[in-house]
Amino acid sequence: MIIKHRNEPNVLIIMRLLNARRYRLSANEKNYLSNLEKGWKGEKKFDECQNTFSNDWIILNDLLLEHHNNVFQIDTLLINENLHLFEVKNYEGDFYIEDDKWFTLSGAEVKNPLFQLKRSESLLRRLQQSLGFNYSIQAHLIFINPSFFLYKAPLDLPIIFPSQINRMINELNMNLSKSKDKHLQFAKHLFSIQLKESPLHFLPKYSYNQLKKGIYCAICYTFINSCNKSILVCPKCGHKEKVESAILRSIKEHTILFPKRKITINAVQEWCKIIESKKTIRRILSKHFILKNHGKSSYYEYPSENSASE
Ligand SMILES: [Zn+2]
C-alpha cells in the first residue's frame, strides 16, 4: 500500500515557469532543468510499476530526510520485515565502468550513482537506529530507461536493468509478513520528520521584472497575443482554453513564483497582459478568491492555504 505518493518537485515547476517566461537561463541552468525533467519522468515511470507491488509492502515515495545535518533523499522506500531503498535513474545511452568510475561511451566521466546510493543507505541505517528501529536494508539502483546500457558492469552491483524490474518485483512480493503495525509506526515516524524544502536544490535569483508577462499556451508555451472572446486560441498549436481557466492558471503561477506579491486586479492585469477588461478579472477573482480589505488596500487570497499549491 502506497502511503506517500510522489509530487512534482517544486524546483522543477519553478524552473519550467522561468523558462516559459523567457528568463535567461544559463547553459548550466538549462542543463539542470532538462535533468530535472528527465529525472521526474523516470520516477513517474517507476511509480507506474508500483501497483504490482504486494499490498503488504508499505511504500513511501520521495522522502527527504536528515541525519546529523546530512540531508539525503530516497526515491522510493519499501517497508515490511526489512527495508528496500530505491534510487531511480533515467539515464539514456551507453555507459561503461572502469574500477569505480563511470563513463559515457565518448569517454566523459559521470558521477558514480552507486556512491549516492551507498550514502543514502548508510544514513538511513543510522537514522532508523536513532529512532529505535533495526531493519536490515537493501539498496537498489534502478535504471528505468530501456535505451540505457552499461558495459563491463560487475555482477555483484545492486543494479536493476529495465528488463529485470518485473522479476525483481515478483521476488520482492514473496514471503511477506501480513502484520503491519510496527512497520506503519516506522513509516509514520519517517513521514513526520521529513524536510519540507530541499537544501540540495538551487534556483536562479529571478525577479518580477525579468519575466515576460502575458498568458501562454498550456500545451506548447507559446504566448497568446490577444483575447477578444471568452476562449483563448493558441496561434501555434490551436489549443483552446477558456479565459477563466487561463487566468486562474496564470495567477497560480504568479503565486508559485512570487508568493509574497499580493493578488490584486491590477497585478493580475499586468501579469496576464492581454486581458483588457478589469471587470472580467474582478468577476473571476470574486468567484475563486476571498476579498481582503476594501478600497485601495484590497487584495485577494486563496480560500484555503492548500489550494495554491495543488
Ligand atoms: Zn499551443
Side-chain angles (χ1 to χ4, degrees):
M1 71 197 225
I2 301 175
I3 66 169
K4 181 174 186 287
H5 287 273
R6 198 183 308 280
N7 290 323
E8 203 163 18
N10 224 18
V11 57
L12 169 59
I13 296 172
I14 293 181
M15 289 294 284
R16 213 188 265 149
L17 293 179
L18 292 179
N19 193 38
R21 292 209 171 261
R22 312 275 169 88
Y23 177 84
R24 283 198 197 172
L25 296 176
S26 67
N28 272 342
E29 288 162 348
K30 275 186 186 158
N31 200 23
Y32 180 55
L33 171 59
S34 114
N35 286 336
L36 287 169
E37 292 279 11
K38 227 171 167 182
W40 170 241
K41 264 189 204 153
E43 287 160 14
K44 287 300 286 173
K45 214 164 163 193
F46 185 57
D47 290 351
E48 287 165 22
C49 311
Q50 287 189 4
N51 51 15
T52 55
F53 277 115
S54 158
N55 213 28
D56 294 326
W57 283 114
I58 293 166
I59 304 178
L60 296 168
N61 287 301
D62 194 18
L63 284 172
L64 187 65
L65 299 165
E66 184 180 14
H67 183 63
H68 290 324
N69 293 322
N70 294 300
V71 175
F72 63 110
Q73 194 247 337
I74 296 175
D75 285 339
T76 297
L77 183 70
L78 261 57
I79 309 171
N80 193 277
E81 289 300 307
N82 41 41
L83 306 181
H84 287 267
L85 175 162
F86 296 91
E87 171 68 30
V88 181
K89 293 286 180 206
N90 194 8
Y91 289 12
E92 245 179 303
D94 299 323
F95 293 73
Y96 67 92
I97 300 182
E98 216 161 69
D99 302 322
D100 255 351
K101 294 187 173 126
W102 288 50
F103 301 89
T104 64
L105 264 204
S106 60
E109 188 174 345
V110 296
K111 254 199 221 162
N112 179 344
L114 290 167
F115 290 157
Q116 187 194 346
L117 184 77
K118 276 185 195 143
R119 178 179 178 272
S120 305
E121 182 187 348
S122 143
L123 286 167
L124 178 66
R125 178 166 295 117
R126 286 181 275 159
L127 175 67
Q128 64 143 343
Q129 280 163 1
S130 72
L131 297 171
F133 293 87
N134 201 10
Y135 288 100
S136 72
I137 305 176
Q138 222 177 317
H140 311 265
L141 182 61
I142 305 260
F143 286 101
I144 198 86
N145 197 315
S147 69
F148 170 79
F149 194 81
L150 186 60
Y151 290 96
K152 299 203 272 180
L155 286 176
D156 57 349
L157 295 183
I159 293 179
I160 308 289
F161 293 102
S163 58
Q164 299 174 315
I165 293 175
N166 285 337
R167 202 177 347 136
M168 172 199 74
I169 294 178
N170 288 338
E171 280 167 19
L172 287 177
N173 282 346
M174 289 194 285
N175 307 320
L176 292 173
S177 147
K178 297 270 172 212
S179 70
K180 284 204 184 86
D181 289 356
K182 172 189 158 200
H183 311 319
L184 271 175
Q185 200 196 337
F186 177 59
K188 278 180 193 155
H189 238 310
L190 290 183
F191 203 88
S192 69
I193 57 169
Q194 282 182 98
L195 304 181
K196 288 208 170 66
E197 286 293 328
S198 174
L200 308 172
H201 293 141
F202 83 89
L203 277 173
K205 286 193 173 45
Y206 58 92
S207 67
Y208 183 81
N209 291 335
Q210 288 171 303
L211 304 186
K212 185 170 161 73
K213 315 297 182 292
I215 297 178
Y216 56 74
C217 166
I219 305 297
C220 74
Y221 299 103
T222 301
F223 276 88
I224 294 161
N225 316 323
S226 63
C227 161
N228 36 28
K229 295 207 180 75
S230 58
I231 302 279
L232 292 178
V233 183
C234 170
K236 193 175 173 199
C237 76
H239 174 70
K240 289 183 182 140
E241 185 176 14
K242 280 190 180 156
V243 168
E244 179 165 337
S245 126
I247 291 180
L248 289 174
R249 177 165 61 82
S250 303
I251 297 174
K252 194 164 150 184
E253 249 184 47
H254 179 274
T255 306
I256 292 171
L257 290 168
F258 305 103
K260 285 182 188 146
R261 284 182 84 97
K262 288 209 158 54
I263 305 168
T264 64
I265 293 170
N266 286 338
V268 171
Q269 192 170 41
E270 187 179 286
W271 182 245
C272 295
K273 202 173 161 190
I274 53 167
I275 311 296
E276 277 170 25
S277 153
K278 280 200 163 73
K279 234 172 100 187
T280 305
I281 296 174
R282 178 176 289 118
R283 181 180 54 77
I284 291 168
L285 285 174
S286 317
K287 186 171 159 193
H288 296 275
F289 294 80
I290 293 161
L291 178 65
K292 297 276 169 176
N293 299 345
H294 285 278
K296 278 195 173 163
S297 64
S298 69
Y299 63 95
Y300 291 83
E301 266 183 4
Y302 280 91
S304 78
E305 243 200 330
N306 296 328
S307 14
S309 55
E310 260 171 22

